[in-house]
Amino acid sequence: MNKDEIGTKLYNIGVSYKKADVETRSAFSLSKQKQIALLKDAKSKGIDGVMVVSTCNRTEITGFAKHPFELISLLCEHSNGTVEDFVKFSNIYKSSEAILHLFKIGTGLESQILGDYEIVGQLKQAYQIAQKYGTINTYLERLMNSVLQASKEVKNQTELSSGTTSVAYAATQYIIENVENYNSKRVLVYGLGEIGKNACKNLLEYTENNNIHLINRTHSKAIEFSEVHQNIAINTFENLEVEIEDADILIVSTGSDMPTITTKNISKDKSILILDLSMPENVHKDVKSYENVTLVNVDQLSKITDKTLEKRTAEVPKAMLIINKHKQDFNEWVMHRKFTPAVNALKESLLAIQHDELDLHKKRLEGFNEEHAEIITSRMIQKITTQFVKHLKDENTSVNQSIDVVSKIFNTSL
């Protein structure tokens, strides 16, 4: 279906770290269950082609709509965010801007830490969920394939993701730079999602701390992880408060919609550094009221930069060349898909005229050379259709208007 024919455009709407602080992003954050509910709702409302990604740095919907408010309404209905806050802190991209934005997200150019490729996995997951629930149309499928191809090339052909820089890495760097005698401190990692796993791995790789402990709500996953990383001690969820009481540093990487660490989990006089890597924030803000608690969130950690980021910045022009190549290929596919039916219909109309005229002249003209006439008129048809294609490809052409004019002239259904 031609999107322009039904009056819809591609939009990308959402909030990200660029305008919204961690508290605002938390309000608009969508769990996997909420993402699925949003997709089902969108489908029931007749929105053709939509996907949603929600990470610690952004929550965005990409899809087709007559007006972006259709997508904004979906986001606000399924999250705790309000329309008023969305207006203050949002980004809205349309058509070519939305396409470029998606390419930049998929290649790490829009990551809070430049070149952080964790978003690529999250984008793939968002795409797969949308596919599963039937909200990916042909257009979005082709666009996402193009984005992922560009992402692969940028990663393989540039140094944009060189070095180790991520939120989990930044947490380790923060400890190294701000905690005296950090190798002797007792560290507790709570939560074993991808960020939690990376936090543990970074602590093992970049410190000499042999006092790292791990708790995960699903204990079997912690056991499985500790079998590979034997320098990490594990405990059960039931002993969380005991472990916190013994810890000097707590890294929270749980993936809950609600705070998993509150004032109930921590003694009032406890001295502890807490690094909250979760989104939405999983450490209740009231914890900051405790005098001896230092609480650091993802926004504060993302400010940590080093020479790695300087090197990555120098690679941005190379990444943009790759993006522009894939974006151009995608745009050509869109244009071809858009005007091929019109060109074919024009050609069929001209062939019908050719057939009628050859029949007429064969009857009227004695010695009429039908074969020669067919060769000449076929070449004329080819030249006319080729010229029409060139006209449609011209960036100054109003494709819909041109197709409409030709349709009326030749009485075709384009």
Side-chain angles (χ1 to χ4, degrees), residues 304-324:
I304 296 175
T305 59
D306 55 20
K307 291 181 180 179
T308 297
L309 291 182
E310 292 178 17
K311 185 176 180 181
R312 291 183 180 190
T313 301
E315 295 294 297
V316 171
K318 295 179 186 177
M320 284 304 303
L321 286 175
I322 293 171
I323 287 174
N324 288 334

Side-chain angles (χ1 to χ4, degrees), residues 43-82:
K43 192 172 183 180
S44 70
K45 291 176 178 176
I47 295 177
D48 180 27
V50 63
M51 58 179 284
V52 55
V53 60
S54 186
T55 73
C56 62
N57 290 329
R58 67 184 71 252
T59 297
E60 298 181 355
I61 300 175
T62 300
F64 288 94
K66 293 180 180 179
H67 191 279
F69 192 74
E70 293 178 68
L71 304 180
I72 295 167
S73 296
L74 282 170
L75 177 57
C76 293
E77 285 170 15
H78 290 274
S79 71
N80 295 322
T82 64

Side-chain angles (χ1 to χ4, degrees), residues 147-167:
V147 167
L148 294 175
Q149 286 172 15
S151 176
K152 187 176 181 180
E153 280 190 33
V154 169
K155 189 166 188 179
N156 292 336
Q157 298 178 21
T158 76
E159 298 294 319
L160 188 67
S161 60
S162 64
T164 306
T165 305
S166 66
V167 171

Side-chain angles (χ1 to χ4, degrees), residues 120-131:
V120 179
Q122 295 162 333
L123 200 58
K124 285 181 182 177
Q125 186 180 47
Y127 176 48
Q128 289 165 356
I129 292 173
Q131 280 184 313

